Amino acid sequence: MTQPFSKNSRPNSAKAYARAQPLMPGGVNSPARAFGAVGGEPLFIDRADGAYLWDVDGHRYVDYIGSWGPMILGHRFPPVVAALEEAISRGTSFGAPTEAESELAELIIECVPSVERVRLVNSGTEATMSAVRLARGFTGRDQVIKFAGNYHGHVDSLLVAAGSSAATLGQPNSPGVTAGAAKDTIVLPYNDPEALAAAVAEHGDRLAAVIFEPVCGNMGVVAPTDEFLTALRSETRRCGALLIADEVMTGFRLSLGGAQERLGVEPDLTTLGKIVGGGLPVGAYGGRSDVMAHVLPEGPVFQAGTLSGNPLATAAGTATLRALRDQPPYARLETLAGRLEFGLRSAAEAAGVPFTLKRVGSMLTLFFSKDAVTDWESASRCDTERFGRYFWAMLDRGVYLPCSQYEALFVSASHTEEDIDATIAAAEESLKSVA
Ligand SMILES: *Cc1c(COP(=O)(O)O)cnc(C)c1O
């Protein structure tokens, strides 16, 4: 094992942070990066390659954030770099249709079982915002059900009990979200089919959609029960609401067809992001043909974007999806992540730290709680202070974990067994140090 870095070994990150703070709120452009949940100052990154990140002080880290999901094939995956170089030689944005957009759309429709037609946007937030608007336009109803601890981007009406950075910051309802925007959102506990049935019985005729994470990553990894999945489909069908699977994180990660393929769920609409852009800003929403026909210009539901379907972004997305389809990494990801799971379990047991660990495919969370985590209520009982100390102990040993207890760690196809074993060795020391 390499020596832990000394406390003052990141002078360049400290300088970069001091520069950024007066310029941007918190010195960052997304709160998840600010290390608010673990204390201390964020690292500034210089470059990345494969499974590694280098900070501006020249330290190398094994990366388990993967840009919060997109980098399933590792950083600077050669086919993505080549596709970007080819696309850039022909121009970066036209504001007119390109064949590259159809190429990415064809791939999405081929891979994701329930998606018959699709619209490309620029982020996961845009995808969920647009899908909810479409569901309301299609059904002519106002209300939406979401689940506590599920995050669907920073859409006003969905920024209620929203998990991850929202949860970590203790601000489930952001100032600036009006009572009007939140009043048509009903928040229910995850994995509670009875609560869902009761809400549908009461609000069913006003319900436009139920939106959910089919495997949660934004309160740490939480898996749905079979009963919950069955209820989601049957209750929405019964009352005529649309079922929206938010696969921004799980799409192309838990299998080529996402969580819906892995779990056998049949949503009406699906939202995508992260991997679909291969590291560039892309989101997408799609699903039933008859529903998608309501989107402008075919239908009346407005949704537009100056840079939607951008040539660079579609090139990176297409190269990524093609690689995932033609050389599926999923069996290897399962093996690598299983090896990591086993090592972390043994390390936590040896250290005597109370924990529960959940892994689905290449997504994993080590919760500092002795009880099973099945919903936001059980997740919120974790020892986040201990997580903060563990995070820094790992970072000092060259392992870059998500900087919050309530996030999923991602294994990529570029990780090697040696990377995993080095991570386990770091965890053995780190968990002992926080016991
Ligand atoms: C990341 C995420 C979003 C938001 O996507 P952005 O690209 O950050 O706007 C929405 N839903 C889920 C499930 C996510 O994990």
Side-chain angles (χ1 to χ4, degrees), residues 321-336:
L321 298 199
R322 225 185 247 150
L324 292 174
R325 180 194 62 187
D326 297 343
Q327 276 133 18
Y330 301 103
R332 180 178 147 70
L333 287 172
E334 198 71 46
T335 306
L336 285 172

Side-chain angles (χ1 to χ4, degrees), residues 30 68 122-128 150-154 212-215 217-218 246-250 271-274 282-283:
S30 187
W68 301 96
N122 304 288
S123 70
T125 295
E126 252 191 89
T128 57
N150 285 20
Y151 178 65
H152 304 296
H154 62 95
F212 75 113
E213 285 185 69
V215 170
N218 289 294
D246 183 356
E247 296 232 44
V248 170
M249 186 182 287
T250 53
T271 54
L272 298 164
K274 299 191 170 124
V282 183

